[in-house]
Amino acid sequence: MSYSGRNKFEIARFSGEDENHINRKLPKELLLRILSYLDVVSLCRCAQVSKLWNILALDGSNWQRIDLFDFQRDVEGPVIENISRRCGGFLRQLSLRGCESIADGSMKTLAQSCPNIEDLNLNKCKKLTDQTCQALGRRCSKLQRINLDSCPSITDISLKALSDGCPLLTHVNVSWCQSITDNGVEALARGCPKLKSFICRGCKNVNDKAVSSLATHCPDLEALNVQGCDNLTDESICKLGGAMRRLCVSGCSRLTDGALAALAARCPNLATLELAQCTQLTDAGFQALARNCRMLERMDLEECVLITDTTLVHLSMGCPRLEKLTLSHCELITDYGIKQLSMSPCAAEHLTVLGLDNCPLVTDGALEHLTSCHNLQLIELYDCQMVTRNAIRKLRLETSHESLRKALDFLHDVHYILGVVTSHFIEAGHSLTRQHSRMSDKRTEQEFILKT
């Protein structure tokens, strides 16, 4: 464990003055190593014990990884500038997630003082602009991970600066930076060929050209999240390579079965696939997917409204590792599909989460089949009108997982409350109908008398 020359002088000066037993028995290097395992709050407390501990606790070598999320409301520019100067070249990882008061000036000081930083989380630092990324590009060539999620002023200029100065980048998140376009993504892909993860949720201007650039220039890309990028088509998805393991294209409503067929052929190692609101996908696409992507563990098919029980048959036979499956609002799914799923290898060994809310054709029979899913921990059945409280109660009694029991208890209570509310509404409706009928009869009688 190393420390600065200034600290060496101060440690030697105060060691003789401090009579504390532990300080006299343990080498200062060992004390420094012990303190290096503490979090920010504990280090600050230790700094108040004695003059020697103050020097050791505030030594830059103990501040290599800092997460200030718990202090986000209190952290302002001067705090970051002081930390940057104290940590210097020791700082490797810094999270400023939620620190909305931080501005470009403080980040420029950070870039200048901490050139060895590798992981930087700036999620929801909403005052930051392209100037921050330009400073990082000039000074922080070792940067590997950067999170700019919900920094609305970030544009293609930032991605260009990072591509020029940070060639080691492996993980980039620019979600909800809605000024990002295909030009910025292409520059990043060309300058950072080691990129493994790219997340741009809600970036409406990201299109096929952007994704194609990532597929072409970043052969190690294993995670891509383009949720809500509704300009994407099969053209770019068909270019993704064999390293891809986690793909989210939820909300990309232009995708068709052609994209699924291409993923089946080119991405056999897919483990996570999110396809919510991809309304053009059909059973045929999932048949191709299940035939080749046998490593799938998590799938989100919410609002894939064209799929039927046939898709569940294919997944049951072809995806033995499936752990989490969401079928919410898949209105053509019936008990037969759930039966096929429950008889599959994944159901007995791996399936832990199953989302079936707003599946109107699912009945009590589906819950009877699910008793064979021994590892099931969560099931969602909201607004499944054909599922009764008795079936929920029966499944609860037969399961051994405490988490599933709690979820079923909650569902049981919800069904009860909805039943009571519904009955009150029905009774109120009947009452209004009777009242309206009496009023109509009275008006008819009055009109008859007047005419007479």
Side-chain angles (χ1 to χ4, degrees):
M1 182 67 67
S2 61
Y3 38 83
S4 66
R6 175 177 175 271
N7 279 2
K8 286 182 180 179
F9 172 76
E10 292 178 334
I11 288 171
R13 176 185 170 192
F14 291 118
S15 292
E17 298 177 7
D18 201 318
E19 297 300 324
N20 190 293
H21 183 72
I22 191 173
N23 294 343
R24 294 167 57 191
K25 292 292 185 182
L26 293 180
K28 304 307 173 286
E29 290 79 8
L30 184 54
L31 284 172
L32 200 61
R33 173 59 65 89
I34 293 171
L35 292 172
S36 72
Y37 291 99
L38 300 182
D39 57 30
V40 172
V41 174
S42 300
L43 283 171
C44 291
R45 288 172 178 166
C46 288
Q48 301 175 54
V49 171
S50 68
K51 292 178 180 179
L52 176 61
W53 278 41
N54 180 275
I55 297 168
L56 293 173
L58 298 182
D59 189 88
S61 62
N62 289 325
W63 295 69
Q64 296 184 41
R65 294 171 178 80
I66 303 174
D67 186 349
L68 297 179
F69 176 71
D70 291 337
F71 314 99
Q72 56 182 298
R73 295 183 180 178
D74 304 316
V75 173
E76 297 188 357
V79 174
I80 300 304
E81 293 167 20
N82 289 336
I83 289 176
S84 301
R85 295 189 182 102
R86 177 171 292 280
C87 295
F90 286 109
L91 188 63
R92 296 291 188 275
Q93 181 179 337
L94 175 64
S95 176
L96 299 176
R97 181 166 59 105
C99 299
E100 298 187 8
S101 298
I102 302 303
D104 291 327
S106 302
M107 296 309 300
K108 290 179 181 178
T109 301
L110 174 77
Q112 185 172 2
S113 302
C114 307
N116 295 321
I117 193 162
E118 298 172 356
D119 188 338
L120 185 58
N121 188 341
L122 302 175
N123 185 358
K124 293 186 179 179
C125 295
K126 298 182 178 181
K127 290 185 178 181
L128 299 183
T129 71
D130 293 328
Q131 293 183 33
T132 288
C133 291
Q134 288 174 320
L136 292 171
R138 285 192 297 267
R139 301 277 187 172
C140 303
S141 60
K142 297 181 181 180
L143 191 65
Q144 297 177 23
R145 295 170 176 258
I146 186 166
N147 187 342
L148 296 164
D149 189 336
S150 302
C151 296
S153 298
I154 296 298
T155 72
D156 289 341
I157 295 173
S158 288
L159 295 189
K160 181 66 168 62
L162 293 172
S163 70
D164 290 339
C166 306
L168 301 180
L169 274 173
T170 58
H171 294 71
V172 175
N173 186 342
V174 288
S175 297
W176 310 109
C177 299
Q178 301 199 22
S179 296
I180 296 294
T181 72
D182 57 295
N183 293 325
V185 177
E186 183 176 11
L188 184 73
R190 289 180 180 276
C192 303
K194 296 184 178 181
L195 205 62
K196 292 183 178 181
S197 172
F198 184 73
I199 303 174
C200 60
R201 293 175 297 131
C203 295
K204 297 288 186 179
N205 295 318
V206 170
N207 55 21
D208 284 332
K209 182 182 177 183
V211 174
S212 296
S213 297
L214 291 168
T216 301
H217 300 292
C218 305
D220 297 327
L221 190 69
E222 60 184 37
L224 177 64
N225 189 329
V226 287
Q227 177 183 341
C229 301
D230 49 15
N231 288 320
L232 292 181
T233 69
D234 297 352
E235 177 188 347
S236 57
I237 301 302
C238 290
K239 296 179 181 178
L240 295 176
M244 185 60 58
R245 287 185 50 81
R246 297 181 298 279
L247 177 63
C248 175
V249 289
S250 294
C252 300
S253 56
R254 299 187 185 188
L255 298 183
T256 70
D257 289 339
L260 294 184
L263 289 174
R266 297 176 61 86
C267 306
N269 295 317
L270 268 178
T272 299
L273 183 58
E274 299 180 25
L275 300 163
Q277 300 175 342
C278 294
T279 53
Q280 297 190 54
L281 304 181
T282 71
D283 296 330
F286 288 101
Q287 180 180 13
L289 191 74
R291 188 180 297 121
N292 286 353
C293 296
R294 298 183 60 82
M295 307 296 286
L296 277 167
E297 298 174 356
R298 297 173 177 82
M299 294 187 71
D300 184 354
L301 309 184
E302 181 174 351
E303 293 188 41
C304 292
V305 293
L306 298 181
I307 65 172
T308 70
D309 293 334
T310 303
T311 288
L312 295 188
V313 172
H314 294 314
L315 295 179
S316 299
M317 294 188 297
C319 303
R321 299 190 178 194
L322 204 57
E323 297 176 5
K324 298 181 180 180
L325 178 62
T326 300
L327 299 166
S328 304
H329 296 273
C330 295
E331 299 183 354
L332 301 180
I333 298 296
T334 72
D335 294 351
Y336 176 75
I338 303 303
K339 178 182 179 181
Q340 298 303 309
L341 186 67
S342 67
M343 294 168 59
S344 68
C346 72
E349 299 180 18
H350 301 291
L351 192 65
T352 58
V353 177
L354 181 61
L356 294 172
D357 53 293
N358 290 279
C359 292
L361 301 181
V362 170
T363 73
D364 291 351
L367 270 63
E368 293 179 6
H369 299 312
L370 291 176
T371 56
S372 61
C373 301
H374 304 301
N375 290 316
L376 195 62
Q377 298 177 25
L378 176 64
I379 181 171
E380 296 177 349
L381 293 165
Y382 305 113
D383 211 22
C384 291
Q385 304 282 342
M386 304 292 287
V387 175
T388 66
R389 290 168 58 203
N390 287 335
I392 295 173
R393 189 185 302 116
K394 183 178 179 181
L395 181 59
R396 185 204 178 281
L397 292 173
E398 294 184 7
T399 184
S400 58
H401 274 281
E402 186 62 27
S403 57
L404 181 57
R405 286 183 179 179
K406 291 180 180 179
L408 291 171
D409 284 340
F410 178 73
L411 282 172
H412 184 273
D413 294 341
V414 168
H415 272 255
Y416 174 75
I417 294 169
L418 288 176
V420 171
V421 171
T422 302
S423 64
H424 279 303
F425 272 114
I426 292 173
E427 180 58 34
H430 288 163
S431 177
L432 288 172
T433 301
R434 289 194 295 269
Q435 184 177 356
H436 182 268
S437 179
R438 287 196 297 270
M439 292 176 64
S440 297
D441 291 343
K442 188 173 182 180
R443 283 198 300 270
T444 303
E445 183 180 344
Q446 289 173 344
E447 291 172 358
F448 176 76
I449 293 173
L450 289 174
K451 288 180 180 179
T452 305

